[in-house]
């Protein structure tokens, strides 16, 4: 049945509005179509709602759609008719939010857990308030996969994916990666225009890498974490997932900035926000004169696929041709320690921080069936089928609950991560006068996580089985303008993203 639905959708084509193809359209394309009156925000939102209805029963990237999305789109349409020019770039654009980002509306914010179904957030998350100010439409919430949340769907279980986690739209059985899996799947499959995800360590970059989309992990503090189900404010960050670097820059522009509810971090990072915003760095010659440090060890060894490695060599050639200076074969000091969360201190610190911050988040909810991590553990015990407790376990939750605040051990762990970052990426970048480090895939995420550093992944190719992978650019805090220049110029020189065909997926799910 699903197969038929998909077929109909594919046959009916991807156009809506007049002479305008929505599938794969960018924000700039859509804004132009709005201005030329070839498209309304309502048509755009209805297109995505149709796509979700047809594809989501299989792909499971969306956990809830916003019953008010069409109304919000109509409001944007009528505002646009009144305002001449000067609209924010996200005006009338539907945005899908990871289910950990709170909204003060009809949508639930559950972190993908049944434990939080029915919880009421006191207000919109800081980033959501910014989106609404920009006139964006909240399309719905994206599914996610994490330690403590595996909320399943009101559709038969065990179809194609594990309950609660979306399906890779490119390859049968391919892992879409988490935890912002739904945010990436939905954008990849054109069920959403753009989305927000969050990252503590790899949760934006990894699903971006695996789903042939762009994911931008901002410097910690550049985007407010207020109202986002937390792990650790030391590492958590909210960022865009999109099909193009240009869309990521527009979304970033609309969500960065000071938030009194996340004051210290957003204050400190606000000095990084460029006057005139991020879109000015979308330059086709953005690679000219950039010094890029290639870090192969151990990231290129981790992926066995030799075709990947030869594609990577092609990309390095492209980067050089476009004017970059490629400094090859650099190594990050202590990389084996950094990549081991038990050795670098990350696991120890995160366990204690998670408990503290999650409990704070739960306490501040206006209403909630659970008020603490302990409550969630008990909920999981009492709802073993819904939460698949036996299969997935909750050892990490139990270990976190056994911690007692950030003490001497945790402080030492945090100092160790700071030192590893200084001797690691910071030293590498400074000594080689780099604008960015470059590697393949998402395995470098811990390097960025423990330092609060930004990174971006851009579609870079597909394995022989069709599994996508991305090229990874990382920099020091505040490097977003440079990363956007580099990523955009690379993207424009290669244009490797292609939408999933989806037919193989449907057949495999019958
Ligand atoms: C939020 O959860 C409640 C309880 O399951 C459900 O009735 C409601 O439809 C959900 N809201 C949306 C927008 O899906
Ligand atoms: C790499 O190849 C080896 C031997 O063929 C295999 O055991 C291993 O699982 C592969 N690793 C990855 C990451 O694919």
């Amino acid at each position: 049945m699903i197969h038929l639905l998909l077929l109909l959708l594919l046959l009916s084509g991807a156009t809506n509005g007049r002479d305008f193809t929505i599938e794969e359209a960018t924000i700039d394309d859509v804004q132009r179509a709005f201005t030329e009156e070839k498209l309304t925000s309502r048509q755009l939102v209805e297109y995505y709602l149709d796509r979700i209805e047809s594809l989501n029963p299989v792909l499971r990237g969306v956990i809830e759609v916003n019953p008010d999305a069409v109304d919000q789109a109509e409001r944007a349409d009528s505002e646009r008719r009144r305002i001449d020019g000067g609209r924010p770039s996200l005006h009338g654009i539907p945005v899908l939010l990871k289910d950990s980002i709170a909204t003060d509306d009809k949508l639930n914010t559950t972190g993908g857990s049944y434990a939080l179904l029915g919880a009421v957030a006191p207000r919109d998350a800081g980033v959501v308030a910014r989106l609404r100010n920009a006139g964006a439409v909240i399309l719905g919430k994206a599914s996610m996969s994490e330690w403590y949340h595996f909320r399943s769907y009101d559709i038969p279980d065990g179809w194609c994916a594990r309950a609660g986690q979306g399906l890779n739209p490119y390859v049968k059985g391919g892992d879409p990666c988490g935890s912002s899996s739904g945010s990436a799947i939905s954008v990849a499959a054109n069920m959403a225009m753009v989305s927000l995800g969050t990252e503590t360590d790899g949760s934006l970059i990894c699903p971006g890498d695996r789903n042939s989309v762009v994911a931008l992990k901002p410097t910690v503090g550049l985007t407010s974490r207020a109202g986002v189900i937390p792990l650790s404010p030391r590492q958590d960050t909210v960022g865009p997932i999109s099909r193009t670097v240009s869309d990521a820059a527009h979304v970033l522009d609309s969500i960065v900035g000071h938030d009194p509810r996340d004051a210290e971090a957003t204050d400190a990072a606000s000095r990084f926000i460029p006057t005139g915003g991020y879109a000015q760095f979308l330059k086709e010659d953005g690679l000219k004169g950039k010094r890029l440090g290639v870090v192969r060890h151990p990231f290129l060894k981790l992926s066995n696929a030799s075709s990947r490695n030869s594609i990577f060599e092609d990309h390095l050639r492209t980067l050089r041709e476009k004017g970059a200076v490629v400094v090859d074969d650099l190594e990050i000091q202590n990389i084996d320690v950094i990549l081991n969360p038990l050795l670098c201190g990350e696991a120890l610190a995160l366990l204690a921080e998670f408990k503290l911050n999650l409990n704070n988040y739960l306490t501040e909810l206006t209403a909630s069936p659970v008020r603490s991590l302990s409550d969630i553990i008990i909920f999981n015990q009492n709802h073993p089928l819904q939460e698949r407790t036996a299969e997935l376990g909750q050892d990490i939750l139990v270990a976190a609950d056994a911690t007692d605040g950030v003490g001497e051990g945790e402080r030492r762990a945090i100092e160790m991560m700071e030192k590893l970052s200084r001797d690691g990426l910071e030293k590498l970048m400074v000594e080689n006068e780099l604008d960015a480090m470059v590697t393949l895939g998402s395995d470098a995420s811990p390097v960025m996580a423990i330092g609060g550093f930004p990174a971006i992944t851009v579609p870079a190719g597909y394995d022989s089985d069709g599994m996508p992978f991305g090229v990874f650019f990382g920099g020091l805090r505040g490097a977003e303008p440079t990363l956007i220049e580099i990523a955009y110029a690379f993207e424009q020189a290669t244009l490797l993203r292609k939408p999933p065909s989806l037919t193989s997926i449907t057949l495999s799910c019958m």
Side-chain angles (χ1 to χ4, degrees):
M1 183 189 67
I2 290 299
H3 186 199
L4 269 181
L5 278 176
L6 276 176
L7 212 61
L8 284 175
L9 185 89
L10 293 171
L11 290 177
S12 73
T15 48
N16 202 337
R18 280 167 281 158
D19 300 314
F20 178 77
T21 304
I22 296 177
E23 187 177 13
E24 296 290 296
T26 65
I27 290 174
D28 288 337
D29 295 336
V30 163
Q31 289 297 353
R32 206 171 307 120
F34 283 166
T35 303
E36 292 170 0
E37 297 188 0
K38 288 183 176 158
L39 178 75
T40 63
S41 178
R42 181 186 173 127
Q43 286 172 319
L44 184 66
V45 166
E46 283 177 342
Y47 168 86
Y48 286 119
L49 294 176
D50 284 350
R51 290 281 293 189
I52 292 168
E53 199 176 317
S54 308
L55 297 175
N56 199 56
V58 173
L59 293 178
R60 301 177 164 208
V62 178
I63 199 164
E64 286 189 4
V65 293
N66 185 359
D68 294 329
V70 171
D71 285 352
Q72 289 176 10
E74 281 181 342
R75 196 181 326 138
D77 286 332
S78 69
E79 271 171 17
R80 188 169 56 250
R81 282 181 214 111
R82 291 198 311 270
I83 312 167
D84 290 333
R87 304 188 298 272
S89 54
L90 259 68
H91 193 270
I93 301 290
V95 182
L96 184 71
L97 307 172
K98 185 175 180 178
D99 194 35
S100 58
I101 301 173
T103 49
D104 177 18
D105 56 14
K106 291 178 186 148
L107 292 159
N108 296 286
T109 306
T110 70
S113 171
Y114 277 108
L116 277 163
L117 205 52
V120 180
R123 63 190 74 83
D124 284 331
V127 288
V128 174
R130 285 191 178 269
L131 287 175
R132 291 199 206 272
N133 281 340
V137 173
I138 305 302
L139 185 65
K141 295 280 171 82
S143 62
M144 54 187 284
S145 44
E146 259 295 350
W147 314 346
Y148 54 97
H149 37 64
F150 284 92
R151 176 175 159 202
S152 42
Y153 291 76
D154 298 330
I155 58 171
D157 254 359
W159 273 21
C160 303
R162 303 188 317 198
Q165 188 177 19
L167 188 76
N168 185 293
Y170 287 87
V171 175
K172 178 191 176 188
D175 182 358
C177 201
S179 63
S180 307
S181 43
S183 301
I185 291 165
S186 304
V187 169
N190 279 274
M191 292 196 291
M193 176 121 218
V194 290
S195 62
L196 293 189
T198 70
E199 170 154 342
T200 303
D201 187 341
S203 284
L204 280 158
I205 296 294
C206 189
D209 173 61
R210 302 277 180 86
N211 292 283
S212 204
V213 285
V214 172
L216 194 162
K217 180 222 175 211
T219 302
V220 167
L222 198 62
T223 51
S224 166
R225 288 79 49 82
V228 179
I229 300 178
L231 266 84
S232 161
R234 196 175 43 73
Q235 289 185 205
D236 293 352
T237 186
V238 182
I241 295 185
S242 55
R243 290 183 289 267
T244 62
V245 177
S246 144
D247 283 2
H250 287 311
V251 175
L252 187 65
D253 266 333
S254 69
I255 59 172
V256 295
H258 176 70
D259 182 350
R261 297 186 189 280
D262 187 8
E264 201 181 324
T266 55
D267 253 357
S270 60
R271 71 180 192 277
F272 296 133
I273 302 171
T275 312
Y278 291 97
Q280 63 184 305
F281 299 102
L282 301 166
K283 298 185 213 161
E284 251 168 75
D285 65 353
L287 278 163
K288 208 175 240 165
K290 293 291 189 309
R291 286 178 63 86
L292 303 179
V294 181
V295 180
R296 292 170 186 267
H297 173 79
F299 310 118
L300 274 93
K301 263 182 261 157
L302 287 176
S303 81
N304 268 350
S306 59
S307 65
R308 271 191 194 202
N309 292 358
S310 80
I311 291 170
F312 186 61
E313 301 310 321
D314 289 346
H315 290 334
L316 294 183
R317 237 185 329 274
T318 303
L319 295 171
R320 284 195 195 94
E321 277 164 19
K322 293 290 164 185
V325 177
V326 173
V327 188
D328 209 342
D329 268 329
L330 298 180
E331 287 204 22
I332 294 170
Q333 231 183 75
N334 301 311
I335 188 65
D336 299 336
V337 178
I338 291 172
L339 297 184
N340 184 333
L342 296 176
L343 291 182
C344 76
E346 192 188 13
L348 184 75
L350 279 182
L351 280 181
E353 292 167 333
F354 173 52
K355 177 184 177 182
L356 285 176
N357 295 299
L358 181 69
N359 285 349
N360 270 345
Y361 175 89
L362 295 173
T363 308
E364 285 174 10
L365 293 171
T366 304
S368 177
V370 289
R371 287 294 183 180
S372 67
L373 178 55
S374 313
D375 289 352
I376 291 179
I377 291 170
I378 293 167
F379 181 92
N380 290 344
Q381 281 162 0
N382 293 341
H383 299 79
L385 292 180
Q386 267 183 335
E387 297 295 328
R388 299 164 62 225
T389 313
E391 182 190 342
L392 302 167
Q394 52 175 346
D395 295 358
I396 295 175
L397 301 196
V398 171
D401 209 31
T403 62
D404 185 22
V406 172
E408 194 50 41
E410 286 78 13
R411 273 192 291 274
R412 271 203 306 275
I414 292 167
E415 277 165 22
M416 177 154 66
M417 285 185 273
E418 287 166 355
K419 180 162 167 43
L420 285 166
S421 291
R422 277 197 306 274
D423 298 345
L425 188 69
E426 286 180 30
K427 195 162 158 204
L428 179 99
M429 296 285 294
V430 171
E431 282 188 350
N432 296 284
E433 298 174 43
L434 300 180
D435 292 293
M437 68 160 271
V438 54
T439 191
L440 213 52
S442 63
D443 293 319
S445 292
V447 176
M448 320 317 286
I450 64 167
F453 302 131
I456 188 166
T457 177
V458 182
Y462 305 83
D463 290 336
S464 53
D465 63 356
M467 189 67 184
F469 57 89
V471 67
F472 176 107
F473 299 104
L476 299 182
R477 283 177 216 101
E480 283 80 0
T482 309
L483 293 181
I484 287 170
E485 281 185 338
I486 293 168
Y488 181 73
F490 170 79
E491 174 197 50
Q492 294 305 306
T494 54
L495 294 175
L496 285 164
R497 170 176 159 79
K498 47 184 187 205
S501 77
L502 297 172
T503 42
S504 57
I505 297 292
T506 47
L507 292 175
S508 72
C509 287
M510 294 306 286

